[in-house]
Amino acid sequence: MASNKEGIVSGGIGFLSRATVQFLLFGVTIVATRQLSIEEFGSYALASLFLIVARALFYVGPYEYLLKTPLTTTLYATCLRANIILATVISCLLALVYFFAFRIFDTNDVSRLIALLAPSIFLVAITAWYEAVLLRDMRVRRYYLSTLIGDCVGAALAVFLLIKGYGVVSLVAQTYARLLILFVLYAIGTTQRPALGKGWAHVRDVFLWSKERYYAVLLNFTSTYGADVILGILLSPAATGLYRASSRIVSTLTDLFAQPLQKISQTNLSARLVQEKSLGTSWLTMLSGVGAIGWAGLLTLGFLADDLVPLALGEKWTPAVPIVVSFCAIKSLMLLDAVTTSFLVCHDRQKQMLRVQICVAIAVVGLSWFVAPFGPQQVAIAVGCATASMSLIYGYMVLKLSKAGAEAILDMIKTSAPPVIGTFLALSLLDQMFPHLSREQAVIWGLFAAAVGSITGAFLVRSRILTAIGSLGHLSDAKPSRATP
């Protein structure tokens, strides 16, 4: 009983921290969309895409290797050396992107922003290493406190500079402020200090293990952001701005649940593997409690998008409404990915994952190029069909590996379905009873109705949800691993 309560507290801290961060980041997005033109927002979106894929490379490979590998005297130094090498290579590649961006996009702003953002890569390299050290030691609470402070400072600085009229440079400043804060807090939070050590023999082993994960990140980037680039090339940065703003709105909600779920499942499953414990069907338990809330939230956002999007971003963003609705359906499977990818990596299924991602990436690029002339919404639907297939294939692979039977799947559905059904019924009833509410009233009463519906549904299965959330923190009391001097 005490373990379950501790698990609820640990899991709750992660989601509360992420909720605060997502609220702040959504606030930055609202201020940015109101202070910047759609084209300016689109230019920053295009520039930041290259930094997104670069940063993502640091959270696989050596990062995952450090989490799952039994401790040796050279493990920490080897993974840090690998990150430094990776940062150097990425910086050279970004220099090439800088020169080509002048010719690819119909604006010089993209290249200018890439040049401003590129040096942050070395900060990412060290903070990613520190983060892996913290999570290996099961210091999840310290991790979330650090990220909360870093994101708060970055968001506050961005909003201040945007209001003062500094434009897209405000968003660049946010990136550096966040990383610097994380670097300081991570360094304070662990006794492990960066050291390159002697010899490079094991670095090659880390990169060999990591190569499929690097390929996976590049392919995932193509699947997730390939459409943004194609819209920028074939149409305009403004088209990318509409597409990316719509995705950002939905991602603000999905990341609230998917990011903590992915981080906690990755940490817990890796720790179980290091301790030579069976992973079993624990991934379904972790998914069920989070999914109960996450899917209800996506349903609410899709239902209220027609009033919520113009109210939050401004009337000029009204064309984004149908794109937001499309993304709500697409990203509903992102919560599934949060646990399945961690499970597959723990079982060293990178090569099988890679084959799936190659097919999906090709499909995304081909479909985006074909439907781009019809507009961003059609691109969102086409991309969604391709990425949904990947999520379902991963789910099937994990079901086979975990040997999850119909009973385990039914238990997950019993936990997550009632809040979603309650949300749908409450919103439908409100729409039928009060069809002519003003935009502000529709949003306020819609959110209230959704909250009542989801809470009612959750109350019916409260013991199941508490057990599922408690499973997220069951390993939080594991003794930290320390490097041997």
Side-chain angles (χ1 to χ4, degrees):
M1 184 68 177
S3 177
N4 190 56
K5 287 182 178 178
E6 177 65 23
I8 293 172
V9 171
S10 298
I13 287 173
F15 290 102
L16 180 61
S17 170
R18 196 60 190 173
T20 305
V21 169
Q22 289 302 100
F23 176 78
L24 291 170
L25 295 181
F26 186 58
V28 173
T29 300
I30 291 174
V31 176
T33 54
R34 290 181 175 274
Q35 297 292 324
L36 305 176
S37 67
I38 295 178
E39 185 174 355
E40 286 176 321
F41 189 87
S43 294
Y44 179 79
L46 287 168
S48 64
L49 291 182
F50 297 102
L51 273 295
I52 287 172
V53 66
R55 287 194 294 263
L57 291 170
F58 290 98
Y59 292 92
V60 297
Y63 182 94
E64 294 171 330
Y65 190 88
L66 181 55
L67 281 176
K68 73 183 287 293
T69 304
L71 187 63
T72 65
T73 55
T74 61
L75 178 63
Y76 291 113
T78 298
C79 291
L80 179 59
R81 288 197 294 269
N83 270 11
I84 298 301
I85 293 172
L86 181 62
T88 304
V89 173
I90 288 174
S91 297
C92 295
L93 293 175
L94 286 174
L96 291 176
V97 174
Y98 167 82
F99 288 110
F100 281 109
F102 281 112
R103 298 167 175 81
I104 296 175
F105 303 109
D106 189 26
T107 177
N108 293 332
D109 289 342
V110 177
S111 293
R112 180 172 65 91
L113 289 167
I114 289 174
L116 291 173
L117 289 166
S120 67
I121 289 302
F122 287 95
L123 275 174
V124 175
I126 187 66
T127 54
W129 179 82
Y130 263 127
E131 182 177 311
V133 171
L134 279 176
L135 293 179
R136 181 182 175 90
D137 288 346
M138 301 304 297
R139 305 194 68 182
V140 179
R141 296 185 189 182
R142 166 72 69 169
Y143 159 75
Y144 276 113
L145 177 61
S146 300
T147 55
L148 176 61
I149 295 173
D151 283 316
C152 285
V153 173
L157 179 62
V159 170
F160 174 79
L161 293 176
L162 282 166
I163 293 174
K164 290 295 183 179
Y166 286 89
V168 291
V169 176
S170 309
L171 303 179
V172 176
Q174 176 187 13
T175 298
Y176 283 97
R178 177 183 181 274
L179 288 171
L180 287 170
I181 294 295
L182 287 181
F183 171 73
V184 172
L185 293 179
Y186 284 169
I188 295 172
T190 178
T191 58
Q192 190 69 37
R193 294 290 171 256
L196 296 179
K198 297 180 180 179
W200 297 81
H202 297 293
V203 175
R204 180 176 179 272
D205 295 334
V206 174
F207 279 127
L208 285 175
W209 183 90
S210 304
K211 64 180 182 179
E212 282 87 7
R213 296 298 292 145
Y214 289 149
Y215 297 152
V217 166
L218 296 174
L219 290 168
N220 187 56
F221 169 78
T222 304
S223 301
T224 306
Y225 299 108
D228 298 69
V229 178
I230 290 173
L231 283 169
I233 294 172
L234 296 185
L235 296 181
S236 67
T240 299
L242 279 175
Y243 187 88
R244 181 49 36 201
S246 302
S247 178
R248 182 76 61 84
I249 292 171
V250 183
S251 295
T252 297
L253 179 60
T254 53
D255 286 352
L256 170 62
F257 306 102
Q259 196 276 345
L261 178 59
Q262 189 274 334
K263 193 66 62 178
I264 293 171
S265 65
Q266 183 183 50
T267 304
N268 285 1
L269 294 175
S270 296
R272 278 181 172 273
L273 198 66
V274 169
Q275 297 168 15
E276 298 182 353
K277 294 181 179 179
S278 172
L279 303 187
T281 59
S282 57
W283 66 279
L284 272 173
T285 305
M286 287 187 276
L287 174 64
S288 61
V290 180
I293 307 168
W295 287 318
L298 283 171
L299 177 63
T300 303
L301 178 57
F303 205 99
L304 300 179
D306 193 47
D307 295 303
L308 182 60
V309 172
L311 183 64
L313 305 186
E315 291 295 333
K316 66 183 177 184
W317 292 91
T318 300
V321 169
I323 310 173
V324 169
V325 175
S326 301
F327 273 122
C328 285
I330 294 165
K331 292 183 180 280
S332 62
L333 291 173
M334 183 175 290
L335 292 178
L336 178 63
D337 294 342
V339 289
T340 55
T341 53
S342 298
F343 192 99
L344 291 170
V345 169
C346 284
H347 282 83
D348 293 323
R349 292 301 192 274
Q350 295 95 315
K351 291 184 179 179
Q352 292 91 325
M353 295 169 70
L354 188 62
R355 287 195 287 268
V356 176
Q357 288 173 315
I358 289 173
C359 295
V360 172
I362 293 172
V364 166
V365 172
L367 289 170
S368 298
W369 195 276
F370 179 75
V371 303
F374 300 99
Q377 183 188 8
Q378 286 68 28
V379 171
I381 294 172
V383 169
C385 292
T387 55
S389 65
M390 181 174 70
S391 297
L392 293 174
I393 292 171
Y394 281 175
Y396 175 73
M397 292 168 63
V398 173
L399 283 173
K400 288 186 65 177
L401 278 172
S402 63
K403 298 179 181 178
E407 184 177 352
I409 298 173
L410 185 60
D411 281 342
M412 191 273 288
I413 295 174
K414 286 179 179 178
T415 302
S416 57
V420 178
I421 295 172
T423 301
F424 175 77
L425 293 176
L427 288 170
S428 298
L429 181 62
L430 177 69
D431 189 53
Q432 291 296 320
M433 293 178 63
F434 306 100
H436 302 299
L437 294 174
S438 68
R439 179 160 286 166
E440 293 81 359
Q441 290 174 330
V443 171
I444 293 172
W445 285 107
L447 293 174
F448 177 77
V452 171
S454 61
I455 290 172
T456 301
F459 181 79
L460 298 176
V461 289
R462 58 192 180 280
S463 60
R464 286 178 172 272
I465 291 178
L466 289 175
T467 299
I469 294 176
S471 71
L472 299 174
H474 279 167
L475 294 178
S476 61
D477 291 329
K479 292 182 179 179
S481 57
R482 301 294 183 197
T484 304

